[in-house]
Amino acid sequence: MKNANMETKTSHGFHMKPAKNRGDAHAWTVGRIVGEFVLVISALMILIPVVWVFIASFKDKSEFYGSPWTWPKGFHWQNYVEAFQDAHLGKYFLTSVVVTLVAMVIALVVALPCAYVLARFDFPGKKIIKLGIQAGLFINVNYIVVPIFLMLVGADKFVMKFLPSGFFVNNAFILAVVYAATSLPFTVFLLQDFFATIPTTYEEAALIDGASQFTIMVRIFFPMAGPAISMSMLFNFLSYWNDYIISMTLMTGENKTVQVGLLNLMQTQKAATNYGRLYAGMAIVMIPVLIFYALVQKKLLETSNMGGIK
């Protein structure tokens, strides 16, 4: 049996020393102190503004004229009620939820089989398709929002012969389709890379048992891709939920998403110096992101650990 403390030689001729010999894992080395200090500072830089927004959202209007760091004298829930009802954030919030969920479903339904086929089968033109998908990763959607808008306006001119009010502009479903389409390169690329790492023995065993290719894809590969799906959905959720430019451009009517509604609220509340309602609106926007991250963080860590093991 090889001694755990012995050095091993890699294929490139380098000598690898086991982690046990690199020092005690609990020792306070200079590298560990600097690393943990940077981690603590980074965590505080994220945590303090979030906590400050939630605390300020419960303050009364008069409490903002003193020190901004004081605690609220009570829970002024009226800020949330006014943000939801008077500033119409409740209506905008519902629009954002519907658009985000529909976009995530469309992205998954299209990206999963596409990534599976690209990862597990060889066919003519495969390299060109993969190259096109990889090229799509470098296109920022904010740069193509004007061509998308002009294309939808042109389509509306044709549709208005049958539907006087149009269909493509100021439509939440079309906004969800645009979100899903622009996120497909990233989603397919991530899932395809994950599918390619799954051993072929799973397919061979299923084929021996008489399973079809569709059954193998749906009942074997899709469940195994859970961590990669969670990671792609987390990034897509953040992209859809936090979008402002595409939503503002394509949703030109009263039906807005919560990000555009929040900007309107900021402009009106700054003039009225009612910062409590403004901070309540910010908290309403942040809460779904925190909840979604809490739901998928376990799967996200599994994906990171799998990458480290490979």
Side-chain angles (χ1 to χ4, degrees), residues 194-209:
F194 186 85
F195 283 138
T197 61
I198 298 176
T200 57
T201 50
Y202 292 99
E203 287 173 287
E204 294 168 355
L207 288 172
I208 292 173
D209 290 339

Side-chain angles (χ1 to χ4, degrees), residues 10 42 55 111 117 148 153 167-168 221 258-259 263 268 279 283 310:
T10 66
S42 302
I55 292 174
V117 170
I148 292 174
V153 169
F167 178 77
F168 293 97
F221 277 81
V258 72
Q259 295 293 342
L263 181 67
T268 56
Y279 282 110
K310 284 190 294 183

Side-chain angles (χ1 to χ4, degrees), residues 41-117:
I41 295 298
S42 302
L44 289 176
M45 289 173 64
I46 299 172
L47 188 62
I48 289 176
V50 174
V51 174
W52 191 55
V53 167
F54 277 101
I55 292 174
S57 68
F58 292 107
K59 287 185 177 180
D60 186 51
K61 185 176 179 179
S62 59
E63 295 179 73
F64 286 93
Y65 294 104
S67 173
W69 299 104
T70 56
W71 288 88
K73 296 177 181 176
F75 292 101
H76 197 66
W77 292 101
Q78 189 64 24
N79 290 334
Y80 284 87
V81 176
E82 292 176 356
F84 253 98
Q85 295 180 350
D86 299 343
H88 305 294
L89 272 190
K91 176 185 174 185
Y92 303 150
F93 184 89
L94 181 62
T95 302
S96 280
V97 170
V98 172
V99 170
T100 302
L101 289 179
V102 173
M104 290 172 70
V105 171
I106 295 174
L108 265 187
V109 169
V110 177
L112 273 173
C114 180
Y116 174 75
V117 170

Side-chain angles (χ1 to χ4, degrees), residues 15 45 47 53 62 89 101 108 121 123 129 139 156 185 189 195 203 230-231 250 264 272 279 283 287 297-298:
H15 289 274
M45 289 173 64
L47 188 62
V53 167
S62 59
L89 272 190
L101 289 179
L108 265 187
F121 297 96
F123 53 89
I129 295 175
I139 299 176
D156 254 350
F189 182 78
F195 283 138
E203 287 173 287
S230 299
M231 176 176 276
L250 302 186
N264 295 341
Y279 282 110
I287 287 173
Q297 60 148 347
K298 187 177 179 181

Side-chain angles (χ1 to χ4, degrees), residues 96-301:
S96 280
V97 170
V98 172
V99 170
T100 302
L101 289 179
V102 173
M104 290 172 70
V105 171
I106 295 174
L108 265 187
V109 169
V110 177
L112 273 173
C114 180
Y116 174 75
V117 170
L118 286 174
R120 310 302 295 191
F121 297 96
D122 290 323
F123 53 89
K126 176 181 174 180
K127 289 185 178 179
I128 297 175
I129 295 175
K130 291 179 71 174
L131 187 63
I133 292 173
Q134 291 173 6
L137 294 172
F138 298 97
I139 299 176
N140 190 321
V141 65
N142 293 328
Y143 299 154
I144 59 173
V145 66
V146 174
I148 292 174
F149 175 72
L150 294 177
M151 184 177 65
L152 295 179
V153 169
D156 254 350
K157 289 180 181 176
F158 176 76
V159 171
M160 281 180 180
K161 299 175 184 175
F162 315 99
L163 297 172
S165 59
F167 178 77
F168 293 97
V169 178
N170 198 29
N171 187 323
F173 177 74
I174 297 299
L175 179 63
V177 172
V178 172
Y179 280 159
T182 53
S183 65
L184 276 179
F186 165 75
T187 310
V188 172
F189 182 78
L190 180 65
L191 294 175
Q192 169 210 323
D193 189 47
F194 186 85
F195 283 138
T197 61
I198 298 176
T200 57
T201 50
Y202 292 99
E203 287 173 287
E204 294 168 355
L207 288 172
I208 292 173
D209 290 339
S212 64
Q213 287 292 346
F214 182 78
T215 303
I216 294 172
M217 179 181 71
V218 174
R219 302 188 63 179
I220 296 177
F221 277 81
F222 286 179
M224 293 178 72
I229 292 173
S230 299
M231 176 176 276
S232 65
M233 287 301 99
L234 175 62
F235 283 103
N236 286 341
F237 175 84
L238 295 176
S239 173
Y240 304 156
W241 186 264
N242 294 325
D243 169 68
Y244 174 78
I245 295 178
I246 301 175
S247 171
M248 186 186 66
T249 306
L250 302 186
M251 302 287 281
T252 56
E254 293 295 325
N255 196 19
K256 298 180 174 61
T257 58
V258 72
Q259 295 293 342
V260 180
L262 181 62
L263 181 67
N264 295 341
L265 178 65
M266 290 177 67
Q267 292 172 345
T268 56
Q269 299 311 306
K270 278 183 179 178
T273 62
N274 191 351
Y275 295 107
R277 188 193 293 185
L278 175 61
Y279 282 110
M282 292 181 184
I284 291 170
V285 174
M286 285 194 297
I287 287 173
V289 178
L290 299 176
I291 293 175
F292 190 79
Y293 181 77
L295 292 175
V296 302
Q297 60 148 347
K298 187 177 179 181
K299 291 290 184 182
L300 199 64
L301 291 175

